[in-house]
Amino acid sequence: DAGRLSGAVAFEKVTFSYDGRRKAVKNVSFSVKPGQTIALVGSTGSGKSTTLGLLHRVFDPEDGAVKIDGVDIREFTLLSLRRNIGVVFQEPMLFARTIEENLRIGNPDATDAEIARALELAQASEFVSRQSDGRATRIGERGRSLSGGERQRLSIARALLKNPPILVFDEATSALDATTERQIQKALKAATRGRTTFVIAHRLATVRNADHILVFDQGEIVESGSFETL
Ligand code: ATP
Ligand code: MG
């Protein structure tokens, strides 16, 4: 069992191929200290999502190793690894249940006050309270009754409730209105506090707030550094 990890992440010469021929991730190495925010940028198909998939073991490297707190993640049980990682996808996994039930996935014992706080930090309290039954409102299949920005904020609230040491955030590429974009940035900022965060970034504001930026091209890291140095 991994227990609660502190969130130091290292990729050591990681290579991965989907088809056994072309490398989707090629010799990728980097290390991250607990609490840092790392942005992954690069053109479509450059290997960003695959890299983060290797972190929460959607697949394992063909070569090299991914380590957390100095331990190869293959040594942890999948369940205990994933307890340590919160994910916010572009299209968040929401279920045709109530908002509250969706939020409690990952932390069934959360108190009312904790839920209220997570919604507040995720900039979601207002739109949730505007729903017919508030938190008890049933949302449609895949959260279809909500906007993309609302779905992503609920997903951030869920990650906050889970309170993992590592967070993965795949930023929406779709055009968001300026207000929604500001709310998401604010929610993201609250969510990153005190944890190692990986963001697949499409927006300048997100990149600017990162401690470190990795630039991907054709599966490789071709540049890295801070916003100022790149
Ligand atoms: P985007 O910005 O479009 O999300 P990305 O940087 O996340 O791109 P990846 O999804 O990691 O890119 O893809 C890296 C390479 O692996 C691409 O060539 C892609 O076509 C390929 N690939 C991604 N997912 C799969 C899959 N499930 N099966 C086969 N090949 C895949
Ligand atoms: Mg991707």
Side-chain angles (χ1 to χ4, degrees), residues 169-212:
F169 186 85
D170 206 339
E171 194 171 55
T173 36
S174 52
L176 301 171
D177 62 76
T179 311
T180 305
E181 192 175 324
R182 227 175 300 118
Q183 285 170 325
I184 301 263
Q185 281 302 328
K186 224 170 148 187
L188 180 59
K189 206 164 170 198
T192 60
R193 200 161 297 132
R195 60 189 110 241
T196 309
T197 308
F198 292 87
V199 197
I200 294 179
H202 304 288
R203 286 162 222 287
L204 198 60
T206 312
V207 180
R208 194 178 282 133
N209 289 332
D211 297 303
H212 206 74

Side-chain angles (χ1 to χ4, degrees), residues 86-94 102-103 122 124 127 149-161 167 169:
V87 287
V88 178
F89 294 117
Q90 281 183 357
E91 269 307 315
M93 294 282 281
L94 293 174
N102 271 283
L103 290 173
F127 82 79
E150 289 169 345
R151 285 200 290 272
Q152 217 168 26
R153 279 177 280 155
L154 275 192
S155 182
I156 292 172
R158 176 161 67 197
L160 282 165
L161 275 175
L167 182 72
F169 186 85

